[in-house]
Amino acid sequence: MLIKKLVSLPSRSGRHLQRYNHGCRLVVGCIPYRYRETKTSPPIHGTLIEELEVLLITSQKSPRMMFPKGGWEIDEDIKLAATRETMEEAGVVGTLGDKLGEWIFKSRSQDTFREGYMFPMLVTEELDVWPEKNVRQRIWMTVNEAREACTHSWMKEALDAFCSSIHASANEEKEFL
């Protein structure tokens, strides 16, 4: 797989290949998730909320927690960019779901706006080595813990969209059965 070949390479850097839309830098990312087996929590959205864990990472420059995201580059489609950024920053690979939405937000490090796109990623593998391992920590947590820990309001909205999509999927399964 192309993404796994990138593990041994350094993360992409610089802005010369970045995509922009009317001056807004385009960024893409994922909400990496997995299911845990437990039956102790009350059902929420058709599944047990404690069955879901999501992966947050620290910022490179601070202990702030967020979902992996980064620049969408001109030589990639949106899903490849989201997958690459998640592998580079969080060291996980998996299966992407449908786009959760689009958000316009102000960059914390620069006084400019960004256009962000987020995808759910069902994690199939956690890598032992990845490009940003030495500058980030990754932490699995429950959805409720992630909502508290994540410092970006637009990412919290993406998390809510993810939970709604899980709820919709669970309802479709029930209707199918």
Side-chain angles (χ1 to χ4, degrees):
M1 172 184 215
L2 174 63
I3 289 298
K4 290 189 75 175
K5 289 180 183 177
L6 295 174
V7 169
S8 62
L9 299 174
S11 294
R12 289 185 171 196
S13 61
R15 302 281 188 256
H16 63 283
L17 293 177
Q18 299 290 294
R19 288 180 190 247
Y20 290 84
N21 182 23
H22 302 292
C24 280
R25 183 170 164 239
L26 303 183
V27 298
V28 295
C30 289
I31 296 179
Y33 71 99
R34 66 184 181 190
Y35 292 98
R36 282 193 303 171
E37 291 190 28
T38 178
K39 302 295 183 212
T40 60
S41 300
I44 296 178
H45 301 308
T47 188
L48 298 176
I49 194 67
E50 294 299 323
E51 287 179 356
L52 277 178
E53 289 183 315
V54 294
L55 184 67
L56 272 72
I57 58 170
T58 57
S59 166
Q60 282 187 343
K61 300 172 186 158
S62 77
R64 287 192 324 255
M65 301 297 295
M66 65 189 71
F67 293 107
K69 62 103 179 101
W72 177 8
E73 300 189 354
I74 58 175
D75 62 341
E76 314 172 288
D77 68 38
I78 192 169
K79 287 190 168 190
L80 177 60
T83 302
R84 176 186 52 77
E85 283 294 340
T86 302
M87 184 280 301
E88 286 180 355
E89 293 187 354
V92 295
V93 293
T95 305
L96 283 189
D98 293 333
K99 183 173 66 172
L100 295 169
E102 304 170 21
W103 291 267
I104 303 292
F105 63 96
K106 192 169 186 180
S107 169
R108 289 188 177 204
S109 61
Q110 301 165 352
D111 197 28
T112 59
F113 285 90
R114 305 279 191 257
E115 191 174 317
Y117 303 85
M118 294 293 283
F119 294 85
M121 176 189 274
L122 178 58
V123 174
T124 57
E125 185 176 358
E126 283 185 65
L127 305 172
D128 293 327
V129 176
W130 68 95
E132 297 186 17
K133 179 179 180 170
N134 294 330
V135 293
R136 296 188 189 271
Q137 293 180 355
R138 61 183 180 193
I139 302 169
W140 286 101
M141 56 184 71
T142 67
V143 169
N144 290 332
E145 290 169 336
R147 194 173 283 112
E148 290 296 317
C150 185
T151 58
H152 297 290
S153 61
W154 73 276
M155 287 186 174
K156 289 180 184 188
E157 290 176 18
L159 181 60
D160 290 340
F162 167 67
C163 290
S164 293
S165 73
I166 293 292
H167 170 64
S169 295
N171 284 341
E172 287 173 8
E173 282 182 26
K174 286 179 187 174
E175 290 174 9
F176 181 73
L177 298 175

